Amino acid sequence: MSPLVMDQHHNKHLHKADAQAFYLVPTGPSIGLTSVSLGLIRALDRHMINVAFWKPITQPIDHYNRIKRFPNQSLHPSDENLHHQETASTRGTNDDGNAAAAEDAEPSTHFCRSIAKLGTASPSPLPFDEAEELWWNPRRRDELLQNLVATFQELQHSCDVVIVEGLQPTAHHPDLDEWNHVIVTALDAEVIIVSTMDEKAHASRCASKSSLSSIGTDSEDLSDDGITHDGWRACKERLEQVAQHYGGMDDPRVIGCILNGLKNPEDEEERKGKSSPFCARRFRPSLVESASIGGNGTCQMDVPAIFWTPERIQKECPFFNSKFRLLGAIPFRQDLMNPRTVDIQEHLGADVLSKGDIKSRRVSQICVVAMTLKNMAHRLSQPNTLILTPGDRDDVLVASCMAALNGTPLAGVVLTGDILPSPAIWKLCEAAFKTGLPILATKQDSFSVSSMASMIDTSVPADDIERMQSVMDVVAGYLEGPFQRLIQSRSYRSLMIRQPRMSPPAFLHRLVTQARANPQRIVLPEGDEPRVIQAACLCHRRQIAKCVLLGDCEEINRIACAQGLILPPDLEILSPDKALREKYVDAMVELRKHKGMSRPGALSQLEDVTVLGTMMLAEGHVDGLVSGANHSTANTVRPALQLIKTTDTASIVSSIFFMCLPAQVLIYGDCAINPDPTAEQLADIALQSAESAEAFGIDPRVAFISYSTGTSGQGNDVDKVRQATALAKARRPDLLMDGPLQYDAASTVDVAKSKAPDSQVAGKATVLIFPDLNTGNTTYKAVQRTADVVAIGPMLQGLKRPVNDLSRGARVEDILYTIALTAIQAQQLKSPKEAATTNSTNARTSPVPHDAVTEKAPESPKSIVEAAVSSDSTNPVA
């Protein structure tokens, strides 16, 4: 439970205190204020703190220098004085063609609504022109402030914390520090200063304020690292300048500082002494003059490899203390700078010859090709490379297409010089275009194109939700620890009394944290599937689980190389050859002897990697199994039912989905296994789902869904739901359960007040149990696709060991979280003795049978579950 949430059980009828406001004040332009704001929202949300965002007044237009792109002050934004050539037609239009909403959106508010799903918890800001008119009219300034306070107080009553993003002073509006001060005073907010170690930004700020011109540091005092003792002195002076508006750095209202964009030596390209052309201009004000036109060079910029950790900063800067805290030190991340191919295309004004994956592929480096093929072929093996070449170089185009067909995800090819390939060459390359390779063309020469491309604005476009998601996750990772400690150590007026909600970020964060606490060995039978390989690499990098890939080692390495992945050394790959299968033949014959299983039959069935992985799980050589990226649900579940069996207390195997709705995570069951459960089975499904909810930190309030609420309807279907509710309540009177309830009565407070006013579940349900598979599967898919929410699952319940299915359209993130979920199930299903035995077994480098063979359970009676996973591969839930 969040430190900001008091015990809801004995305070349900009390009113919530006003939320605490954190006002984020920048020390200057281009410091990544929006990224820090959004990252802080994500960090607080992970800890189940109900957070709202507010930008009181829009940023002056001159700060953006580009209206329609709605650029975010990104983690590492570009120099605001760079010339931007984008037009109104290139940005702000949604995929459905509706540009009106985007045109009115302020960047921070836009991303809050699009990603954080805050909705009304992120009200629209007042346009700067209107605010400025009121500000400079002495008779109307109070009117402005009163309007702002009214909006703020409405927010305070609906959340725990309000993140307020301040205004950034610019060359044309150097007085915005005073605006921030007046607004902070009016709102009675606490101040967090956001800054960076960039002396150039400081010099720019000082140049815009004549009264501060003497504070800038002499460039001769700076070393090649860009951060010296003089740099820290300038940082302190910059912080003191801002803090003095609020009573100084020792004033209780000034909580501390977040430093953004610190240099990280662990960046791979920086270790090699080079980086992408899209490095933040703050670290080195001058880009390379041009790409290597005479060869196969890449646009590069030298970035020093130095990273200031919080510990090192605390040691170097004693002005950070218990009163003025260092609340976050966010490092520079090159991968967060990479634009999409479509961003390059629009920046260059290039024509699109083949669209491909132009909106999803990213550019990490630009390669200008003018030499012979043998001298540049190695560049084509590097993922995310944008190839610039004259349009008459057919050999380069064909070679790029061959690389694409070989699995290398190039960012695209730009043909320069107003020369297009012949129809014969184009037809020869058509197969490569189907892999998603974008092909662009421009009338300009290669030198001009490379120069223009290296000068692209690196701020996040309004429609690049994926990149901003990554920025938020990275920033949150560096802020959640310090802010959690801050919250625990301070007495806030904003302690609130309400039931906590499990938001999607909080739920996913819990999955990763809980899995990481005791990593389990998870077998992935589809080891040569690119998405599975990526997810396995992420799991090892984040220490979520110990993954075992089944597949040919050489093929897996080839696929990984084509994807630009480096397989972790501790990632285990097992070839499903005859030698491995032989180890499980005897055990499988023993498990299936009542079905007449023979050794040849077992050996034949073990050729199926899912069956092989299930036997590894049955024998205790792995802790869980995740499959289904290339197989149906039936292919995944059938071997588990035959070989793993159910627990002693489970009469049925069921499934649930974790539905990550914008405001919270709900559990849907059963949406994948049982076509038409009986009342007794439906009660079992409900109890299994409630236990799963508790296991994953969701307070179970179980609603049995039907077409009728309470006693208003009659019929066999609603009677079954009513009977199931009574059975479940009798077995677990301690749980909050109710039914039958219609979906709207279960999920919507206003509807619940009229349809089920006396229900403790209606309007607050967290676990929704559907009467049959037809209803459950249809509902989950309708919600998932229509509301565009993440649905994690199906997670199987009732098995002795965890086996979980994937959607065949699963993303890498879906697979990652399903692996984490499986690992947590494995932790919970193990007894201490079994855990010790399995850990000992998992320490081996290959699965060798041991004495601790899994105890066999009697065959479960043939039921509706077996019908759902029959040998018919056309199973409707597959």
Side-chain angles (χ1 to χ4, degrees):
M1 183 180 296
S2 159
L4 289 182
V5 180
M6 296 179 65
D7 186 350
Q8 71 270 20
H9 296 293
H10 60 273
N11 290 299
K12 289 183 178 179
H13 304 291
L14 298 180
H15 293 288
K16 183 183 77 66
D18 288 343
Q20 179 64 40
F22 293 135
Y23 196 104
L24 271 57
V25 177
T27 59
S30 300
I31 53 92
L33 179 63
T34 293
S35 294
V36 172
S37 300
L38 296 176
L40 181 54
I41 291 172
R42 176 62 52 86
L44 296 175
D45 202 19
R46 285 178 177 177
H47 290 277
M48 300 173 60
I49 297 172
N50 188 14
V51 61
F53 173 83
W54 185 37
K55 178 86 170 181
I57 300 171
T58 60
Q59 192 67 32
I61 293 299
D62 70 305
H63 173 72
Y64 299 120
N65 200 21
R66 49 208 182 272
I67 300 176
K68 297 301 179 184
R69 180 165 181 169
F70 315 119
N72 168 56
Q73 291 72 50
S74 66
L75 190 61
H76 313 293
S78 61
D79 190 325
E80 67 173 0
N81 295 320
L82 292 175
H83 179 64
H84 304 287
Q85 302 185 10
E86 295 181 60
T87 63
S89 62
T90 64
R91 289 292 174 192
T93 302
N94 300 328
D95 290 340
D96 60 2
N98 181 13
E103 290 182 358
D104 294 333
E106 182 273 336
S108 305
T109 307
H110 163 72
F111 283 119
C112 272
R113 293 172 176 173
S114 300
I115 301 176
K117 306 291 186 183
L118 295 183
T120 57
S122 180
S124 299
L126 184 68
F128 182 81
D129 290 343
E130 295 181 23
E132 190 175 38
E133 181 179 352
L134 297 174
W135 179 268
W136 293 114
N137 186 333
R139 297 181 179 180
R140 302 195 65 188
R141 180 178 292 189
D142 286 342
E143 177 184 342
L144 168 65
L145 297 177
Q146 288 172 18
N147 291 337
L148 295 180
V149 169
T151 302
F152 174 68
Q153 288 181 345
E154 290 181 6
L155 277 180
Q156 277 190 306
H157 295 301
S158 63
C159 61
D160 305 336
V161 172
V162 182
I163 302 300
V164 186
E165 183 178 297
L167 293 165
Q168 303 187 56
T170 68
H172 294 88
H173 296 87
D175 59 337
L176 294 184
D177 274 338
E178 178 62 21
W179 286 51
N180 287 330
H181 167 239
V182 172
I183 295 173
V184 165
T185 303
L187 303 181
D188 194 24
E190 293 186 280
V191 174
I192 297 173
I193 302 176
V194 181
S195 189
T196 183
M197 286 307 304
D198 174 30
E199 277 74 25
K200 182 175 180 290
H202 178 50
S204 174
R205 176 185 176 88
C206 293
S208 68
K209 293 190 174 185
S210 58
S211 61
L212 301 177
S213 59
S214 63
I215 298 179
T217 57
D218 191 340
S219 60
E220 294 181 358
D221 294 333
L222 301 177
S223 70
D224 290 338
D225 289 341
I227 302 177
T228 63
H229 290 291
D230 288 340
W232 287 116
R233 183 185 64 198
C235 176
K236 179 184 178 182
E237 292 172 348
R238 191 158 64 247
L239 294 173
E240 287 176 337
Q241 291 172 24
V242 176
Q244 70 184 4
H245 290 285
Y246 313 98
M249 296 167 70
D250 293 333
D251 191 280
R253 284 193 304 174
V254 182
I255 300 175
C257 170
I258 297 173
L259 293 178
N260 185 31
L262 301 178
K263 303 165 191 176
N264 188 351
E266 295 181 358
D267 185 275
E268 181 66 22
E269 290 184 328
E270 289 186 9
R271 285 205 301 266
K272 297 177 181 177
K274 64 180 182 180
S275 70
S276 159
F278 312 113
C279 287
R281 255 67 88 181
R282 76 157 53 92
F283 294 102
R284 211 49 100 166
S286 61
L287 286 169
V288 71
E289 292 300 325
S290 68
S292 178
I293 302 300
N296 54 358
T298 56
C299 301
Q300 299 173 5
M301 184 178 71
D302 182 27
V303 178
I306 180 171
F307 176 48
W308 293 88
T309 63
E311 294 75 18
R312 184 175 179 183
I313 294 173
Q314 293 278 8
K315 181 179 179 180
E316 195 79 21
C317 309
F319 55 87
F320 290 119
N321 50 49
S322 59
K323 292 183 178 180
F324 186 78
R325 301 166 182 256
L326 177 63
L327 298 173
I330 305 168
F332 173 79
R333 279 281 300 271
Q334 178 59 58
D335 56 321
L336 300 179
M337 297 298 299
N338 297 338
R340 301 165 299 178
T341 306
V342 68
D343 301 324
I344 298 286
Q345 177 260 323
E346 292 177 350
H347 178 70
L348 297 176
D351 296 325
V352 179
L353 303 184
S354 179
K355 185 176 181 181
D357 299 330
I358 193 170
K359 290 188 176 182
S360 59
R361 298 203 177 187
R362 297 197 177 274
V363 183
S364 61
Q365 63 176 344
I366 298 175
C367 178
V368 183
V369 178
M371 298 184 72
T372 58
L373 189 60
K374 70 174 183 178
N375 291 321
M376 54 72 63
H378 65 286
R379 295 291 184 189
L380 299 179
S381 64
Q382 299 175 0
N384 306 319
T385 298
L386 184 67
I387 304 296
L388 302 187
T389 188
D392 58 358
R393 290 294 304 273
D394 292 340
D395 58 332
V396 176
L397 176 61
V398 172
S400 300
C401 291
M402 291 177 64
L405 290 171
N406 198 38
T408 302
L410 295 174
V413 178
V414 181
L415 304 176
T416 64
D418 199 19
I419 303 174
L420 301 180
S422 66
I425 293 295
W426 190 258
K427 185 175 182 180
L428 183 65
C429 298
E430 283 181 347
F433 301 157
K434 295 179 181 179
T435 67
L437 177 67
I439 306 295
L440 312 177
T442 179
K443 296 181 180 180
Q444 297 172 309
D445 59 79
S446 297
F447 180 87
S448 300
V449 172
S450 65
S451 298
M452 285 184 61
S454 67
M455 296 294 287
I456 187 174
D457 174 34
T458 55
S459 57
V460 183
D463 61 342
D464 196 349
I465 301 300
E466 178 187 6
R467 182 171 159 201
M468 182 49 72
Q469 285 272 27
S470 300
V471 170
M472 289 174 67
D473 287 336
V474 168
V475 174
Y478 289 96
L479 296 183
E480 61 180 320
F483 271 86
Q484 186 179 27
R485 291 190 292 271
L486 171 69
I487 290 170
Q488 291 172 341
S489 64
R490 293 172 62 93
S491 296
Y492 284 112
R493 298 169 310 218
S494 61
L495 286 176
M496 64 171 301
I497 298 102
R498 65 187 298 259
Q499 290 182 340
R501 63 180 177 85
M502 179 65 77
S503 69
F507 174 71
L508 299 178
H509 176 64
R510 180 189 179 97
L511 281 185
V512 172
T513 303
Q514 197 169 341
R516 188 182 292 159
N518 183 14
Q520 302 291 296
R521 195 161 180 253
I522 308 300
V523 63
L524 308 175
E526 300 158 317
D528 56 359
E529 158 62 46
R531 292 168 295 163
V532 172
I533 296 173
Q534 292 183 54
C537 290
L538 285 173
C539 278
H540 280 252
R541 188 180 310 161
R542 299 174 67 177
Q543 299 179 338
I544 293 172
K546 304 170 185 176
C547 295
V548 180
L549 297 178
L550 293 185
D552 180 74
C553 184
E554 184 176 340
E555 176 66 8
I556 290 174
N557 276 280
R558 187 195 70 78
I559 295 172
C561 184
Q563 296 291 320
L565 299 173
I566 300 177
L567 296 181
D570 58 341
L571 177 59
E572 189 175 351
I573 301 175
L574 295 177
S575 176
D577 52 21
K578 186 176 180 180
L580 181 61
R581 299 197 303 271
E582 283 281 2
K583 297 175 182 178
Y584 297 99
V585 170
D586 291 340
M588 186 170 181
V589 169
E590 179 66 20
L591 285 171
R592 301 293 291 167
K593 64 181 180 181
H594 62 289
K595 294 290 186 179
M597 177 66 70
S598 63
R599 285 185 59 82
L603 192 60
S604 175
Q605 288 197 24
L606 285 167
E607 292 180 3
D608 185 329
V609 288
T610 303
V611 176
L612 178 58
T614 306
M615 276 305 305
M616 295 172 64
L617 179 59
E619 290 297 285
H621 299 152
V622 293
D623 303 311
L625 179 146
V626 174
S627 185
N630 289 329
H631 295 85
S632 68
T633 297
N635 290 133
T636 301
V637 177
R638 187 189 308 111
L641 288 173
Q642 294 172 345
L643 303 170
I644 302 297
K645 313 291 180 60
T646 60
T647 62
D648 296 336
T649 58
S651 64
I652 191 172
V653 172
S654 65
S655 70
I656 58 172
F657 280 89
F658 294 92
M659 304 297 294
C660 298
L661 303 180
Q664 67 180 128
V665 176
L666 299 180
I667 288 179
Y668 286 6
D670 176 3
C671 303
I673 301 297
N674 298 283
D676 189 17
T678 65
E680 291 78 8
Q681 291 172 333
L682 198 60
D684 283 345
I685 293 170
L687 296 179
Q688 289 176 349
S689 302
E691 291 172 359
S692 295
E694 290 177 318
F696 288 92
I698 299 174
D699 185 18
R701 295 185 290 275
V702 183
F704 288 80
I705 302 302
S706 181
Y707 62 80
S708 173
T709 295
T711 59
S712 62
Q714 300 295 326
N716 292 335
D717 292 336
V718 71
D719 288 343
K720 180 182 77 171
V721 174
R722 189 174 291 115
Q723 183 183 356
T725 305
L727 291 171
K729 285 183 175 181
R731 291 171 55 182
R732 286 290 304 273
D734 58 306
L735 291 177
L736 290 178
M737 294 185 282
D738 199 3
L741 290 171
Q742 292 165 287
Y743 190 97
D744 57 352
S747 61
T748 307
V749 174
D750 292 339
V751 176
K753 289 178 180 178
S754 61
K755 290 189 175 183
D758 299 325
S759 173
Q760 292 183 290
V761 173
K764 299 172 286 187
T766 57
V767 180
L768 290 85
I769 304 301
F770 296 95
D772 53 49
L773 185 60
N774 184 47
T775 307
N777 192 266
T778 302
T779 302
Y780 113 75
K781 287 186 176 178
V783 172
Q784 179 190 34
R785 300 302 178 186
T786 306
D788 190 26
V789 302
V790 175
I792 302 176
M795 186 188 90
L796 302 188
Q797 306 173 128
L799 291 171
K800 282 192 170 182
R801 295 183 182 275
V803 173
N804 285 314
D805 185 35
L806 296 168
S807 166
R808 277 168 282 183
R811 304 167 303 169
V812 173
E813 294 80 5
D814 299 331
I815 300 173
L816 172 73
Y817 291 122
T818 302
I819 292 172
L821 182 149
T822 307
I824 295 171
Q825 280 184 291
Q827 295 170 1
Q828 295 166 346
L829 287 172
K830 286 181 179 180
S831 65
K833 180 178 179 180
E834 184 183 8
T837 303
T838 306
N839 288 338
S840 175
T841 304
N842 290 349
R844 305 173 183 174
T845 57
S846 62
V848 180
H850 56 89
D851 294 335
V853 179
T854 305
E855 180 184 353
K856 298 184 296 296
E859 185 74 17
S860 57
K862 187 168 183 177
S863 65
I864 201 71
V865 177
E866 298 230 59
V869 292
S870 65
S871 58
D872 182 6
S873 60
T874 62
N875 178 15
V877 300

